[in-house]
Amino acid sequence: MTASRPRIGVYICHCGTNIAGVVDVEALRAYAETLPNVAVARTYVYMCSDPGQRLIKEDIGAGLVDRVVVAACSPRLHEPTFRRVLEEAGLNPYMLEMANIREHNSWVHMEEPERALEVAKDLIRIAVAKISLLEPEKAIEVPIGRRALIIGGGIAGITAALDLADAGFEVWLVEKSPSIGGKMAMLDKTFPTLDCAQCILTPKMVDVARHPNIRLLTYAEVVDVDGYVGNFRVRVLKKPRYVDPDKCTACGECAKVCPVEVPSEFDVGLSWRKAIYIPFPQAVPAAYVLDEDACLGLTPLACGKCLEACQAKAIDLNDSPEELELQVDTIIVAVGFEPYCPDADEEYGYGRYEDVLTALEMERLLNAAGPTGGKVVRPSDGEVPKKVAFVQCVGSRSRRPGHAPYCSRICCMYAIKQALLLKEKVPDVDVWVFYIDIRAFGKGYEEFYWRAQEAGVRFIRGRVGEIWRSREGRLVVRAEDTLSGRVLEEPFDIVVLSAGVRPPEDAKKLAELLKVPLGPNGFFLEAHPKLRPVDTVVDGIFVAGCCQGPKDIVDTVAQAKAAAASAMALMGKGKLVIEPLYAVLVDEERCRGCGRCEEACEFGAIRVVERGGRLVAQVNEAICKGCGACAVRCPTNALRVKRFTSEQIMAQVLAALGR
């Protein structure tokens, strides 16, 4: 073999018995030796182990190989491992190709060893054909500063903001509501410890407002995102509050004279608020806000009573929207969730019967700061209930149109929590929980479930088929008890629907701005559920909390801390090394500047620019993900995707055909 020809080393992993238990690895090694340009072919029990890595390093060090094919598991799992091996041995780390003979072969053909051997041969032959045409690459370095943007001011956003700010990073926290706090601010207690939700949350909210490294933007939303990691340009629209938070003393005189009353969002419509209001007593910022949709009129002024009553002169009825442009290096998305609304589930009678409540409405009734001061009463007549039913999995674990096929994870536990709180407030109340399965998966959750049983809460395994009102005015629940085989028709004073979790309403719009994909259920999609659970496919953008999928407060806080740590790791280094594997090269001689590639790029990585008096495409390699959509659209074949050039793909096709 001449020095100018590639010297390929093929390294086949047994992966214990995952591969070797199906594929004859020695026969595969012997076959690999016969392939063009293959200088060395070896097998080892675990190629990713230190001895396995040492085999590769020794062959590179001895000059036997100048490019490496590893036939093992998924490149998502160990490609970085083997790239590091090449680099430590003095070889360009991108002269590596992996043939996935585990997930793509042995796990598929477990009962067909002969077939598995032939498929493994095909995969190695294809990898060898491609790597023969690979060229050394150089990583791209992008400078990164110390500024982070967090979108969403619930417990996830608050936690991430404080962690980043305490570590010395500059944080912008954007919340679309007038106050931070999110859904957790509406809760009474948290499971399984029954800690006061506000006692946990309020100090953190105050810390956010006072922290010198956090700039809080409430009543604001992100309207545009451009750029890339280390250089995100974000436009934020601040809606007019009509009340200056710095001047407002929260005395409440304006609300006293306001003649308008509308349902309170914080109390889920169970109480009323004025057109000028403070979202809730512990709101941050602790200032009133004017609801211009509810106000009698600002232009021309139709009322003005609040203006007259404000001695602090904090109200400005000429307030207008303000647009800010932020330069940030990383972004954390923590926009939370929306509870499922069971309006369409006619069998439950929600919206038809006053005493059929959602769990969030029951939460407000249980809360001492709620509309009834923590006294649980029947909405229809104000009487204390003697018998209460909880209906589980409302809107979740169902393939009905409008329902979600997934488990919302929190419903079982918050129903148990509310059942215990009901027992505490009304000791003689009879509580029934109609369930499919009780999913008590977290630390201390199963014991919490036992505690509810010991307190006298009845658990009935079976779906509720229908709820109607009897002549006596009570709600009748018809359900099957699948453990006894009986059909029950039981009267109740209140029925609580344990509604599931949905993605936030504006998730799709925000995902398009960020160029981050959503999963099949509408939640933000992580890069990898196990290896990169808070990363997205866009470098520098992370997700935390329920916008990534249903989860409880414990997991939300843990994920927020993970997202903050990931952002810190990125910004702390001061630069990001971007793999040059999938960037797109532009042949400017062929490019005619038609712009079709720019239209096709979902990541905004391509721009048509003027150069030398003509229009040509320009690729930002820091953003490009090498999807190839631009190359497909190009009418002049001016775009080439690194490591997926026409020549490399044709070589793989011919190898697959056995030529």
Side-chain angles (χ1 to χ4, degrees):
M1 184 179 292
T2 64
S4 61
R5 295 180 61 190
R7 301 186 302 279
I8 301 171
V10 177
Y11 299 89
I12 302 164
C13 182
H14 294 211
C15 198
T17 57
N18 279 294
I19 295 172
V22 179
V23 178
D24 184 341
V25 290
E26 282 304 315
L28 188 60
R29 183 197 60 76
Y31 172 77
E33 287 182 334
T34 68
L35 295 174
N37 301 323
V38 172
V40 173
R42 303 190 191 281
T43 70
Y44 193 72
V45 180
Y46 291 105
M47 198 60 72
C48 60
S49 66
D50 285 343
Q53 294 178 36
R54 196 156 48 244
L55 283 177
I56 301 173
K57 288 180 181 179
E58 288 171 355
D59 287 345
I60 295 172
L64 299 178
V65 300
D66 61 7
R67 51 198 74 200
V68 171
V69 171
V70 177
C73 57
S74 166
R76 294 192 75 175
L77 192 61
H78 278 306
E79 189 171 38
T81 302
F82 292 111
R83 263 199 238 126
R84 189 170 60 251
V85 169
L86 268 63
E87 191 170 26
E88 289 173 356
L91 188 62
N92 186 282
Y94 304 105
M95 302 301 283
L96 168 74
E97 187 68 19
M98 290 193 70
N100 186 352
I101 61 172
R102 188 179 74 176
E103 285 88 343
H104 290 178
N105 182 31
S106 64
W107 284 0
V108 180
H109 302 291
M110 293 182 106
E111 308 300 325
E112 305 171 286
E114 293 180 2
R115 174 68 176 147
L117 177 60
E118 293 307 311
V119 172
K121 289 179 179 179
D122 291 343
L123 292 172
I124 289 179
R125 189 170 64 250
I126 291 168
V128 167
K130 180 180 179 181
I131 202 170
S132 297
L133 300 175
L134 289 185
E135 297 177 357
E137 303 285 356
K138 186 176 180 181
I140 306 160
E141 290 188 357
V142 177
I144 298 180
R146 299 173 65 84
R147 303 157 301 182
L149 168 68
I150 298 174
I151 308 173
I155 184 60
I158 288 170
T159 301
L162 289 172
D163 279 9
L164 282 163
D166 287 343
F169 295 90
E170 183 181 344
V171 179
W172 289 90
L173 178 57
V174 176
E175 166 57 42
K176 68 178 182 179
S177 301
S179 169
I180 57 174
K183 296 290 189 298
M184 187 175 172
M186 304 168 75
L187 306 182
D188 181 32
K189 303 285 178 66
T190 62
F191 59 78
T193 54
L194 297 184
D195 291 316
C196 167
Q198 282 290 358
C199 299
I200 299 170
L201 183 64
T202 302
K204 288 182 174 291
M205 292 167 61
V206 173
D207 287 345
V208 164
R210 293 177 177 173
H211 206 294
N213 290 339
I214 297 177
R215 300 183 186 182
L216 181 60
L217 298 176
T218 55
Y219 218 32
E221 59 182 305
V222 173
V223 294
D224 188 45
V225 179
D226 196 12
Y228 52 92
V229 56
N231 189 28
F232 287 114
R233 296 180 299 281
V234 183
R235 284 196 296 117
V236 177
L237 181 66
K238 280 191 70 178
K239 292 177 279 188
R241 293 181 70 102
Y242 300 102
V243 180
D244 187 339
D246 294 327
K247 293 181 180 179
C248 181
T249 60
C251 65
E253 294 301 318
C254 55
K256 290 178 183 177
V257 298
C258 179
V260 179
E261 286 192 340
V262 294
S264 166
E265 299 87 352
F266 189 73
D267 280 334
V268 213
L270 296 176
S271 69
W272 300 84
R273 65 162 174 83
K274 297 297 183 75
I276 190 165
Y277 67 104
I278 192 165
F280 54 97
Q282 300 85 5
V284 172
Y288 277 71
V289 60
L290 179 64
D291 181 351
E292 61 179 298
D293 294 327
C295 184
L296 292 176
L298 299 174
T299 52
L301 186 61
C303 174
K305 291 185 177 180
C306 57
L307 197 62
E308 297 170 4
C310 183
Q311 295 183 4
K313 306 300 179 186
I315 299 174
D316 177 10
L317 299 183
N318 294 316
D319 198 4
S320 59
E322 180 185 1
E323 194 170 278
L324 305 174
E325 183 164 314
L326 312 180
Q327 291 280 133
V328 296
D329 301 282
T330 57
I331 298 173
I332 296 176
V333 183
V335 291
F337 71 96
E338 295 293 334
Y340 172 70
C341 180
D343 278 346
D345 298 339
E346 295 182 0
E347 68 271 26
Y348 296 141
Y350 181 75
R352 213 164 58 243
Y353 307 131
E354 288 180 89
D355 299 329
V356 177
L357 307 174
T358 64
L360 201 51
E361 289 167 345
M362 174 55 77
E363 195 73 36
R364 296 308 300 153
L365 290 179
L366 288 165
N367 198 308
T372 59
K375 183 180 180 183
V376 180
V377 295
R378 194 161 56 178
S380 60
D381 57 10
E383 293 295 320
V384 176
K386 294 183 173 59
K387 195 173 181 182
V388 177
F390 285 84
V391 180
Q392 299 308 108
C393 298
V394 176
S396 300
R397 301 181 66 194
S398 168
R399 298 191 182 275
R400 281 175 53 181
H403 284 206
Y406 53 81
C407 170
S408 289
R409 293 187 64 187
I410 60 173
C411 317
C412 288
M413 296 310 299
Y414 73 56
I416 292 171
K417 176 196 77 173
Q418 291 184 352
L420 281 169
L421 293 176
L422 270 169
K423 282 282 191 182
E424 183 182 298
K425 290 178 179 289
V426 187
D428 59 345
V429 69
D430 189 9
V431 181
W432 296 39
V433 178
F434 293 90
Y435 70 98
I436 302 174
D437 306 291
I438 293 294
R439 297 191 166 183
F441 60 89
K443 183 178 180 181
Y445 289 11
E446 188 69 22
E447 296 86 339
F448 195 58
Y449 175 32
W450 296 342
R451 180 177 164 187
Q453 293 178 66
E454 291 164 1
V457 178
R458 303 191 194 191
F459 289 87
I460 310 297
R461 189 174 185 274
R463 274 193 179 276
V464 170
E466 189 179 2
I467 298 172
W468 71 91
R469 191 189 292 279
S470 68
R471 291 180 181 177
E472 293 77 25
R474 300 185 78 191
L475 297 170
V476 180
V477 173
R478 175 183 289 156
E480 180 185 8
D481 183 345
T482 58
L483 296 180
S484 67
R486 295 182 301 132
V487 174
L488 306 174
E489 288 188 2
E490 286 287 332
F492 293 92
D493 298 310
I494 293 177
V495 174
V496 182
L497 305 180
S498 295
V501 170
R502 291 290 185 276
E505 293 177 2
D506 54 358
K508 186 176 181 181
K509 177 184 173 184
L510 183 58
E512 289 172 354
L513 292 177
L514 297 169
K515 300 175 181 63
V516 171
L518 298 177
N521 295 318
F523 294 98
F524 284 85
L525 190 63
E526 68 283 353
H528 190 285
K530 296 180 179 64
L531 303 178
R532 299 174 64 197
V534 297
D535 298 62
T536 68
V537 295
V538 179
D539 292 322
I541 299 182
F542 307 92
V543 290
C546 286
C547 67
Q548 183 263 341
K551 54 182 64 70
D552 60 12
I553 293 170
V554 174
D555 285 352
T556 293
V557 170
Q559 198 173 53
K561 286 182 169 290
S566 296
M568 282 182 215
L570 201 56
M571 294 186 290
K573 289 187 292 187
K575 64 180 180 180
L576 172 66
V577 177
I578 296 178
E579 303 291 358
L581 301 181
Y582 310 115
V584 173
L585 303 173
V586 181
D587 185 341
E588 294 188 4
E589 293 299 319
R590 291 189 175 192
C591 180
R592 66 187 191 195
C594 66
R596 292 186 187 179
C597 54
E598 186 175 352
E599 294 173 2
C601 183
E602 294 184 7
F603 299 96
I606 302 182
R607 293 285 185 270
V608 175
V609 299
E610 186 176 345
R611 183 172 295 163
R614 55 191 292 264
L615 295 175
V616 293
Q618 184 181 66
V619 180
N620 187 329
E621 293 188 349
I623 305 176
C624 180
K625 296 299 175 185
C627 66
C630 56
V632 174
R633 287 288 300 276
C634 182
T636 61
N637 198 29
L639 297 168
R640 301 171 73 236
V641 183
K642 285 185 182 180
R643 297 178 68 92
F644 288 95
T645 63
S646 299
E647 295 82 6
Q648 291 165 354
I649 291 173
M650 185 55 67
Q652 288 181 287
V653 171
L654 292 174
L657 295 173
R659 297 182 188 177

